[in-house]
Amino acid sequence: MPVKAVVGMQWGDEGKGKIVDVLSAEADLVVRAAGGSNAGHTIIRGGKKTVLHLVPSGILHEYSRCLLGAGMVIEPARLREELDVLEQFGTPRVRTRVGVDPQAMLILPWHKAIEHVREARPDALGTTLRGIGPAYESRASRLGIPLALLAHPELLKTALEALHLDYLPIFELGKEPVISPSDLFAELMQVADWLVPMFTDVSLETARAMSEGRIVLLEGAQGVMLDSLHGTYPFVTSSSTIFGGLLSGIGLGNGMVSDVVGVCKAYTTRVGNGPFPTELEDETGKHLAAFGGEYGATTGRLRRCGWLDAVALKKAVRLVGCSQLALTKVDVLCDLPEIKVAVAYEDADGTVLADFPCDPYRAAQLKPVYRTFAPWRTPSDDAVLPEELQEYISFLEGFTATRVSLVSWGPDRSQTLVREAGGACRSLNS
Ligand code: GDP
Ligand code: IMO
Ligand code: MG
């Protein structure tokens, strides 16, 4: 069975949740690799909305098992809340279908306290304030607290004391008192009761499922341009969001994944600070935000909006090595008099750039060079794409050398067209 991976190609919120839900209809296993509850993946079915932050987006298919990989950072209270909500809404056998790798790191109240102090400063990054960055810092410094320690109380106590000691100089500068290691230990012992039984070796379970020919889907979080190494540093998240990050976060070798689907909106959004060459701060930008419902699924913040940046997309295709693209939110562009796509940039000194610069500071000064496209009417379930949209898609396919295999024209799972190699479409429901 082909193993598929889904990766965000822009600055996150491309519609990965919807695409994973569509592709995982028959999946035995859906696996997340990195990030934490900074992610917000929305699924809409029959008018009912579910937003998932930690649990993979396959959970609504009642036979899929959903795994949280070693590369993730997990705040237990958020996971508990998400499991409870899923159960309250009648999702069957949630506790037995979700597995968590004990090598994933805990996000502690200390991590969030430190992030709040940093984000109150004028040089704030505009993070989701979920403690993501500090938790990954703890892992890198070898002072992090892996979930595994919940099963080893004495070692957990010592590890909490060591991390607290390391943080003391910072805590002493802050105004707010922080929870003591002993109180935190007591809280975590209660977490251990429900979380330890969910432990599984995600790498092993995923590799076994693959070798047994089961249907496996790997779910990326965030987007390529937020990658900690290749994104618009320092305005990035703290994990690897490219396809390679997906493999390392789960613990998989090369060659096991046959299809990598890059999810890309027909325009661009970004939440938080940082360079965004095609950003529109005018009425068109406001129109995209209003029509696209561009409010963060995690923080509720208004997303910055702009035209599709095909130059950045070309870079994302290179970094991910995706075999196909899923183009989402094509309906949102319908009412506009014209549609633009950035196909190059002009630098501050007038130099034309065909590629996204690897110097992230240069990215802040770029002026896009646009190509204009005719608007299209909203596609529908009749599986015929409007000619103007076909033209737009053919252009993107040529520019990125990647086939567009899925077209999403509304938030509901049913509003999806499967596009064959020759360009013919069929409705997902047919
Ligand atoms: P993710 O983080 O990539 O999973 O994306 P989010 O869930 O944060 O944001 C995508 C938003 O767009 C959600 O509100 C989805 O319900 C919505 N959405 C997804 N696909 C489409 C589409 O084709 N058209 C419209 N109008 N909305 C969509
Ligand atoms: P999904 O999976 C959009 C952004 C934040 C901020 C930067 C760093 O839903 O696409 P962090 O809290 O990670 O330290 O914040 O990254 N960010 C996202 N933006 N979608 C996401 O996830 C994001 N996860 C992080 O807004 O700019
Ligand atoms: Mg999101």
Side-chain angles (χ1 to χ4, degrees):
M1 276 295 165
V3 175
K4 283 195 173 150
V6 171
V7 183
M9 302 298 276
Q10 295 163 310
W11 278 279
D13 303 328
E14 300 89 350
K16 297 177 292 295
K18 169 179 169 167
I19 299 299
V20 170
D21 179 52
V22 164
L23 295 177
S24 62
E26 290 173 356
D28 296 297
L29 208 57
V30 186
V31 192
R32 253 194 73 182
S37 54
N38 47 351
H41 297 174
T42 313
I43 301 168
I44 299 184
R45 284 189 191 184
K48 200 180 122 190
K49 178 170 168 175
T50 308
V51 182
L52 296 160
H53 302 283
L54 288 162
V55 176
S57 305
I59 194 72
L60 299 187
H61 300 291
E62 67 170 303
Y63 297 106
S64 301
R65 182 155 159 78
C66 292
L67 305 181
L68 283 70
M72 291 187 70
V73 284
I74 296 170
E75 185 184 351
R78 297 246 170 221
L79 179 58
R80 179 70 193 256
E81 193 184 317
E82 205 162 304
L83 298 172
D84 288 348
V85 169
L86 283 165
E87 276 172 345
Q88 277 159 22
F89 280 92
T91 316
R93 296 169 287 102
V94 174
R95 304 279 162 158
T96 51
R97 288 197 293 125
V98 175
V100 185
D101 196 301
Q103 296 172 103
M105 289 286 148
L106 280 171
I107 295 182
L108 303 172
W110 300 334
H111 294 126
K112 292 173 76 176
I114 283 181
E115 189 169 18
H116 271 92
V117 171
R118 287 183 187 157
E119 285 293 296
R121 295 195 306 231
D123 60 347
L125 300 176
T127 71
T128 58
L129 293 173
R130 295 289 195 261
I132 305 290
Y136 278 118
E137 282 169 29
S138 291
R139 184 178 81 180
S141 69
R142 275 67 53 85
L143 287 169
I145 315 282
L147 268 61
L149 284 182
L150 294 171
H152 304 279
E154 285 312 311
L155 294 177
L156 174 64
K157 212 180 272 177
T158 312
L160 286 172
E161 273 156 15
L163 182 60
H164 186 257
L165 195 65
D166 197 58
Y167 275 159
L168 257 188
I170 307 175
F171 290 157
E172 279 165 0
L173 292 175
K175 295 187 193 85
E176 303 290 327
V178 295
I179 186 168
S180 69
S182 56
D183 287 351
L184 187 50
F185 174 75
E187 273 186 15
L188 289 174
M189 280 298 89
Q190 291 187 3
V191 167
D193 292 343
W194 60 269
L195 193 46
V196 173
M198 295 168 84
F199 283 179
T200 184
D201 182 334
V202 171
S203 165
L204 186 65
E205 199 179 327
T206 308
R208 270 202 188 130
M210 287 176 177
S211 62
E212 286 165 4
R214 295 182 188 278
I215 304 176
V216 178
L217 189 75
L218 314 182
E219 175 175 346
Q222 289 79 48
V224 170
M225 301 305 281
L226 287 170
D227 183 80
S228 58
L229 182 58
H230 297 285
T232 45
Y233 189 88
F235 299 99
V236 292
T237 190
S238 302
S239 57
S240 173
T241 60
I242 60 177
F243 174 61
L246 211 53
L247 295 181
S248 85
I250 295 168
L252 291 175
N254 186 20
M256 290 173 145
V257 182
S258 51
D259 272 329
V260 183
V261 182
V263 187
C264 173
K265 271 182 203 179
Y267 53 99
T268 310
T269 62
R270 175 163 204 172
V271 214
N273 305 331
F276 180 178
T278 61
E279 181 170 14
L280 294 167
E281 289 176 282
D282 57 6
E283 288 308 311
T284 309
K286 285 185 196 148
H287 175 93
L288 292 175
F291 270 64
E294 296 297 353
Y295 292 90
T298 294
T299 57
R301 288 179 291 176
L302 183 65
R303 294 174 181 151
R304 299 156 65 193
C305 294
W307 295 120
L308 178 64
D309 188 337
V311 189
L313 179 60
K314 203 165 63 171
K315 170 173 173 156
V317 166
R318 168 165 44 89
L319 291 170
V320 171
C322 55
S323 49
Q324 38 185 298
L325 290 169
L327 189 66
T328 61
K329 304 193 95 161
V330 298
D331 52 305
V332 177
L333 297 180
C334 283
D335 280 331
L336 291 165
E338 59 178 15
I339 291 162
K340 292 187 182 181
V341 174
V343 293
Y345 305 122
E346 215 179 278
D347 208 346
D349 62 9
T351 312
V352 173
L353 306 179
D355 292 295
F356 200 94
C358 65
D359 169 353
Y361 301 96
R362 212 171 159 200
Q365 305 154 5
L366 302 173
K367 224 177 101 208
V369 177
Y370 286 115
R371 176 170 168 160
T372 303
F373 291 82
W376 50 81
R377 63 175 166 77
T378 309
S380 64
D381 218 12
D382 63 11
V384 181
L385 288 185
E387 213 173 286
E388 298 83 359
L389 178 53
Q390 281 279 15
E391 207 168 293
Y392 185 83
I393 290 175
S394 298
F395 168 77
L396 285 182
E397 290 188 320
F399 196 83
T400 60
T402 312
R403 188 163 79 79
V404 174
S405 62
L406 287 171
V407 179
S408 168
W409 55 277
D412 199 275
R413 156 170 227 284
S414 61
Q415 293 166 306
T416 314
L417 295 176
V418 180
R419 197 166 165 275
E420 308 296 350
C425 286
R426 65 182 162 80
S427 159
L428 190 69
N429 310 317
S430 62

